[in-house]
Amino acid sequence: MTGKIVRSLFFLAMLVLAAGACLFSGILYGYYEKQSFASLSQEAEQLSQSMAYIAPDKLRSADRITLIDTDGTVLYDSVANASDMDNHLDRQEVAQAIKSGTGQSSHYSSTVLQKNLYYALRLENGTVLRLSRVQSSLGAMLLNMAGPIIATVAGLLLLAAGLSVRLAQQITKPINAISTDDPQDIYPELQPLTQRLRQQKATIGKQMDELSRRMREFSAMTENMSEGFLLVDMRGHILTENRSAATLMPVEADNIARCPEQQLRQAAQQALSGQRCERLLQRGERTLSIMASPVLASGQVTGAVVLTMDVTEREQREKLRREFSANVSHELKTPLTSISGFAELMSQGLVPPEKVKEFSSDICRECARLTSLVEDIIDLSRLDEGGEGMEWEEVELYSLCTSVLQSLEQVARKQKVMLHLEGVEKTVHGVRQVLHEMVYNLCDNAIKYNRTGGSVSVRVEGCGRGCRICVADTGIGIPYDHQSRVFERFYRVDKSHSRAIGGTGLGLSIVKHAAALHGAQIDLQSQPGAGTTITVTFPEQ
């Protein structure tokens, strides 16, 4: 800005200087010409008076003297031969003098850069006395004064440059000192600028506050996301990442190309090419879902957003669902095949009369097994739905256990297993039918997988502010490597033994879901050959 002001002021000074010089020269030259004509007029008056006593050729003057007759004939010239000169009647100054008594004119010669001044005076006898004087033209006068003029102009230009610099600094110094934090009105002319600066400062302040608020919200949202969040530009540089996504990247990595996970790199590259993609990434026992989408601005891809979600539980549920479907199909097919086979033999009369009762008993047994399996599947389905529509009430556990053991007395007597109940009365808020199924399955398994002459002990007791039910048996126990899976659907430690005793493989799975419905914890302790103890602990009501 200072340079522009200096140039503008310097150019203005040069323009003013040139205009002043031209005006001064013109005025000075005009004044000089006027004085020359006055001098010629005075000299002509003096010479006209002298001619009464002196002949024209005796007159002495620094100017050229010419005497012209009334008809324009040159009578005398102090420089040239009068007889050789043209008639001067048409000369401007001569014609004016004959008419009005005096006349003057000037003639410029471009060849010699000179100007001739002529003054004519009509004498008493009618003749005209003309004086002429050579005067340098303005150009010649300036040319003769070139040295002083150049020196003067150079000095004035230096002075103008210095003054321009100083004046520019004086103008710009207060402007440069304007604070953007608190702009003041330095000059009245700058008031619109300072007012706009204040308005823009207020606007920018509001925008910065809004941006900071949104950044805090964005950071709070992304940092507390369980999902990984990555924002990358077109060159793959990571612009933003949260803690969850940082676990997928090396600490020093600033580009998606340095990610060790090939699936993540490929997903990001596909999104940067403008295509949305989803991939699954397996990391040990965890399964991550990668979703990458392009970021568009004015229809152009400017980056990509990559989200990673832990879908281990979902994948496990899907796996269990597939296994459950396969197991259900198998478990339903087995009794149906037996029933169909027995019925077909009997319908075709291929069963001897003495075997009909045996075949009928087999059909009844398979139907009971099928019914039990269907009921267990229904119970599991209801529990999977969160017990929707079930009636919740206060349930007293000791009397509930008494009712369960009474319903299993015949089975226990057949297995020669003793049943014992001890403890105190404890009440929980729950679904009576679900709690009954839970205790029934625990006790039924304890009887089925017991040894002849063994026992099943059920104990109801308090624990802190909650309560628990313990079912202990003296049965065959569960091998250590199977204990973590016995609550899975259709999982059996010994499939042949389970089928022999009529188990469906869903009893402990129902126990697990029933406990989860009531917020209870299950603890399993078992030693092969020494029995099993399963404890269900209910939280504080």
Side-chain angles (χ1 to χ4, degrees), residues 19-291:
C22 292
L23 181 62
F24 178 75
S25 299
I27 294 173
L28 181 62
Y29 187 77
Y31 176 77
Y32 176 67
E33 183 176 330
K34 184 178 179 181
Q35 290 298 110
S36 295
F37 275 119
S39 175
L40 288 173
S41 174
Q42 185 178 3
E43 185 176 0
E45 291 291 340
Q46 293 176 354
L47 290 176
S48 67
Q49 294 176 5
S50 299
M51 287 180 65
Y53 310 100
I54 303 174
D57 58 344
K58 301 298 183 180
L59 297 175
R60 296 291 180 267
S61 174
D63 300 315
R64 182 178 180 178
I65 301 174
T66 304
L67 185 61
I68 304 167
D69 199 358
T70 56
D71 60 356
T73 304
V74 177
L75 300 177
Y76 171 76
D77 190 88
S78 61
V79 175
N81 188 358
S83 59
D84 297 333
M85 299 179 67
D86 297 334
N87 189 286
H88 281 40
L89 186 62
D90 58 346
R91 300 293 177 91
Q92 180 181 354
E93 68 277 4
V94 175
Q96 289 179 355
I98 293 174
K99 183 178 180 180
S100 60
T102 61
Q104 64 183 34
S105 67
S106 59
H107 300 282
Y108 175 71
S109 175
S110 60
T111 57
V112 294
L113 297 178
Q114 289 183 345
K115 191 174 185 180
N116 293 321
L117 303 180
Y118 298 97
Y119 184 82
L121 176 65
R122 187 181 64 189
L123 301 178
E124 292 180 356
N125 57 6
T127 59
V128 176
L129 175 65
R130 190 186 73 171
L131 297 179
S132 63
R133 179 181 296 176
V134 177
Q135 179 182 356
S136 298
S137 66
L138 180 60
M141 185 176 65
L142 293 176
L143 187 61
N144 292 332
M145 299 175 62
I149 289 176
I150 292 175
T152 302
V153 170
L156 291 175
L157 290 178
L158 289 175
L159 179 62
L163 291 176
S164 298
V165 172
R166 182 174 179 81
L167 182 59
Q169 290 176 345
Q170 291 178 346
I171 293 174
T172 58
K173 184 177 180 180
I175 297 177
N176 293 332
I178 294 177
S179 173
T180 55
D181 295 331
D182 186 19
Q184 300 296 325
D185 297 333
I186 304 300
Y187 303 121
E189 295 79 5
L190 295 179
Q191 185 175 0
L193 173 62
T194 55
Q195 184 176 358
R196 181 168 295 181
L197 287 175
R198 286 192 289 267
Q199 292 174 350
Q200 289 183 345
K201 178 190 173 185
T203 302
I204 292 173
K206 292 179 181 178
Q207 293 175 344
M208 289 299 295
D209 292 341
E210 178 68 15
L211 181 60
S212 298
R213 183 184 65 81
R214 292 189 177 185
M215 285 298 295
R216 289 193 299 270
E217 292 177 352
F218 178 78
S219 297
M221 179 179 64
T222 55
E223 288 302 320
N224 290 284
M225 288 172 55
S226 59
E227 299 82 2
F229 177 85
L230 282 174
L231 179 63
V232 298
D233 62 12
M234 285 300 296
R235 292 176 295 180
H237 292 152
I238 299 174
L239 304 178
T240 302
E241 64 175 335
N242 62 359
R243 286 193 296 266
S244 299
T247 60
L248 300 174
M249 301 290 295
V251 176
E252 70 281 359
D254 59 353
N255 195 293
I256 196 68
R258 299 182 183 179
C259 179
E261 303 294 348
Q262 182 180 4
Q263 296 290 345
L264 185 61
R265 292 199 309 271
Q266 293 177 348
Q269 291 168 0
Q270 187 172 345
L272 291 176
S273 67
Q275 300 178 356
R276 187 179 183 277
C277 70
E278 294 187 14
R279 295 172 180 265
L280 287 179
L281 172 64
Q282 196 70 36
R283 300 194 78 196
E285 297 182 356
R286 296 175 60 199
T287 303
L288 300 178
S289 174
I290 301 174
M291 292 176 291

Side-chain angles (χ1 to χ4, degrees), residues 252-430:
E252 70 281 359
D254 59 353
N255 195 293
I256 196 68
R258 299 182 183 179
C259 179
E261 303 294 348
Q262 182 180 4
Q263 296 290 345
L264 185 61
R265 292 199 309 271
Q266 293 177 348
Q269 291 168 0
Q270 187 172 345
L272 291 176
S273 67
Q275 300 178 356
R276 187 179 183 277
C277 70
E278 294 187 14
R279 295 172 180 265
L280 287 179
L281 172 64
Q282 196 70 36
R283 300 194 78 196
E285 297 182 356
R286 296 175 60 199
T287 303
L288 300 178
S289 174
I290 301 174
M291 292 176 291
S293 300
V295 177
L296 301 178
S298 302
Q300 299 294 324
V301 179
T302 59
V305 173
V306 182
L307 288 176
T308 60
M309 294 187 296
D310 191 336
V311 294
T312 304
E313 186 176 351
R314 185 190 73 184
E315 292 298 311
Q316 289 177 346
R317 286 200 304 267
E318 182 64 20
K319 180 181 178 182
L320 289 175
R321 185 191 65 80
R322 292 192 297 267
E323 292 178 352
F324 179 72
S325 299
N327 288 329
V328 166
S329 300
H330 177 73
E331 294 294 336
L332 290 175
K333 186 177 180 180
T334 300
L336 286 175
T337 301
S338 299
I339 294 172
S340 176
F342 293 145
E344 184 178 0
L345 291 174
M346 293 175 67
S347 66
Q348 294 178 0
L350 299 178
V351 180
E354 65 275 9
K355 294 288 186 179
V356 171
K357 184 177 181 180
E358 181 182 346
F359 273 49
S360 300
S361 299
D362 291 339
I363 291 174
C364 290
R365 183 178 66 253
E366 294 297 332
C367 286
R369 178 183 171 192
L370 184 60
T371 302
S372 177
L373 178 61
V374 171
E375 289 177 349
D376 286 347
I377 292 173
I378 293 173
D379 290 339
L380 274 176
S381 298
R382 295 176 62 194
L383 293 173
D384 282 340
E385 295 173 0
E388 184 177 354
M390 295 182 179
E391 182 180 354
W392 289 71
E393 58 182 307
E394 299 299 321
V395 181
E396 202 283 301
L397 297 180
Y398 190 87
S399 60
L400 178 71
C401 293
T402 302
S403 174
V404 170
L405 293 179
Q406 287 176 353
S407 64
L408 289 171
E409 281 183 358
Q410 185 177 354
V411 177
R413 190 179 302 112
K414 184 178 180 180
Q415 294 289 114
K416 298 180 179 180
V417 174
M418 298 297 295
L419 301 178
H420 303 282
L421 174 62
E422 58 183 9
V424 295
E425 293 183 355
K426 288 292 181 180
T427 302
V428 297
H429 185 70

Side-chain angles (χ1 to χ4, degrees), residues 395-521:
V395 181
E396 202 283 301
L397 297 180
Y398 190 87
S399 60
L400 178 71
C401 293
T402 302
S403 174
V404 170
L405 293 179
Q406 287 176 353
S407 64
L408 289 171
E409 281 183 358
Q410 185 177 354
V411 177
R413 190 179 302 112
K414 184 178 180 180
Q415 294 289 114
K416 298 180 179 180
V417 174
M418 298 297 295
L419 301 178
H420 303 282
L421 174 62
E422 58 183 9
V424 295
E425 293 183 355
K426 288 292 181 180
T427 302
V428 297
H429 185 70
V431 181
R432 181 179 295 276
Q433 180 62 32
V434 174
L435 292 173
H436 184 278
E437 288 291 331
M438 180 182 69
V439 177
Y440 183 92
N441 279 288
L442 288 174
C443 295
D444 186 44
N445 276 359
I447 295 171
K448 287 179 180 179
Y449 295 96
N450 215 316
R451 62 170 57 90
T452 302
S455 64
V456 174
S457 299
V458 180
R459 185 172 67 256
V460 180
E461 61 184 7
C463 57
R465 296 186 178 181
C467 61
R468 61 191 173 201
I469 299 174
C470 298
V471 179
D473 63 62
T474 59
I476 61 177
I478 304 172
Y480 296 113
D481 55 341
H482 293 275
Q483 292 182 10
S484 61
R485 301 193 60 189
V486 292
F487 291 97
E488 296 179 9
R489 301 177 185 186
F490 293 110
Y491 186 82
R492 298 184 178 92
V493 177
D494 187 348
K495 294 184 179 181
S496 61
H497 182 68
S498 297
R499 293 185 186 277
I501 62 175
T504 63
L506 296 176
L508 289 181
S509 183
I510 292 175
V511 171
K512 174 185 174 183
H513 284 74
L517 179 66
H518 292 84
Q521 299 292 327

